[in-house]
Every structure is written in structure tokens, then in C-alpha cells.
Amino acid sequence: MKNEVRRLERIIHGHTVPMRNWGVAQYGVESTLPVGSSGKSLAELKDADIREERLLKRLDRYQKCVYALEVAAELLDDELHRVVYDCLLDRMSYRAIAYHVGFSRNQAKKTKDAIMNQLSQNGQFVTLLNAEKKAV
């Protein structure tokens, strides 16, 4: 979701969004004929507004989910669980986590399961996630 947030921010706040009608270069007699204005039509502007509104809603939803996942690390009791959770957020594999922390790959999976159980039973995290679902 972090990558999608970056991409949506770049589209909405940075670069121009490609339109569906770009036009084609004309050759021969057609190239000498007059053409319409180079401005965007009302239909194109409306389509762009609809798309931008949809992207803004998705961006807002993803930002809230990423925030909830980042806050969840503070709700964990054990420091080892926090380290493993941060490694999972950094998209490390079970093998890399096991090597980093110093135990087996199966133990990394069990620790991840224990983290998920602890978070699912935590009332603050459940409230945060429910608030995000209602916002969607």
C-alpha cells in the first residue's frame, strides 16, 4: 500500500495524468485542414475530475490503513514481536527475519502468527481498523 500511496500522490500532486484521447499526427491533405482547439473539452475535464476524485478517495483510504499498521507496532507487548513486525512491514522474507533475529524460519512464522493474534485481540487496534472501514 505504501507504494500505491506514493504512486497516487505522484499522479495527483505531481505529474499530469495521460488522457484517453491523445490524437494522431496527420499526413498529406489532412495536415493542412483546420483542426479544433488544443484545449480540453468539457467531457474530458469531467472525466479527469471523476478519475481524480476516485484516486483521492483511494489515496485517503490507503493512507489511513498504512497509518493503522504503523501504529499497531506500538500496541505490541514484546520487543521481539516489535522487531519481527517491523521486519514484516519492511517486506522481509521469513528466512531473512529468522537470520536477522537468530531463530528458525518456522519460529519466524509462529512469531508472526502470535503477533496477528495479539493485534486481533487488542481493542485499540480493532477500533482503529473499524474506524477505517467506516471511512471507506
Side-chain angles (χ1 to χ4, degrees), residues 7-22 40 44 47-49 51-55:
R7 185 186 77 83
L8 291 172
E9 285 175 343
R10 195 171 48 246
I11 288 173
I12 293 171
H13 304 297
H15 306 283
T16 58
V17 178
M19 299 303 290
R20 63 179 177 199
N21 299 330
W22 279 31
K40 294 187 180 8
E44 288 176 322
D47 288 346
D49 286 343
R51 182 173 193 267
E52 186 173 324
E53 184 178 324
R54 188 183 75 240
L55 292 177

Side-chain angles (χ1 to χ4, degrees), residues 99-114:
Y99 179 76
H100 176 69
V101 179
F103 49 66
S104 71
R105 194 175 80 218
N106 289 336
Q107 186 62 35
K109 288 180 185 179
K110 288 178 184 178
T111 304
K112 179 214 150 208
D113 292 338

Side-chain angles (χ1 to χ4, degrees), residues 42-127:
L42 187 59
E44 288 176 322
L45 291 174
K46 184 179 176 184
D47 288 346
D49 286 343
I50 291 170
R51 182 173 193 267
E52 186 173 324
E53 184 178 324
R54 188 183 75 240
L55 292 177
L56 280 171
K57 285 180 184 177
R58 187 183 325 149
L59 175 63
D60 185 49
R61 187 177 71 232
Y62 283 0
Q63 284 175 332
K64 289 177 181 178
C65 288
V66 168
Y67 175 74
L69 291 172
E70 293 289 338
V71 169
E74 298 171 9
L75 301 175
L76 296 172
D77 297 333
D78 189 16
E79 186 64 30
L80 178 65
H81 286 179
R82 287 186 189 130
V83 170
V84 171
Y85 186 76
D86 286 337
C87 290
L88 288 168
L89 289 181
D90 290 336
R91 297 170 24 184
M92 291 175 65
S93 67
Y94 288 125
R95 180 176 288 160
I97 294 170
Y99 179 76
H100 176 69
V101 179
F103 49 66
S104 71
R105 194 175 80 218
N106 289 336
Q107 186 62 35
K109 288 180 185 179
K110 288 178 184 178
T111 304
K112 179 214 150 208
D113 292 338
I115 290 169
M116 294 300 122
N117 286 335
Q118 184 178 350
L119 288 177
S120 67
Q121 294 174 0
N122 189 314
Q124 290 177 334
F125 185 68
V126 171
T127 304

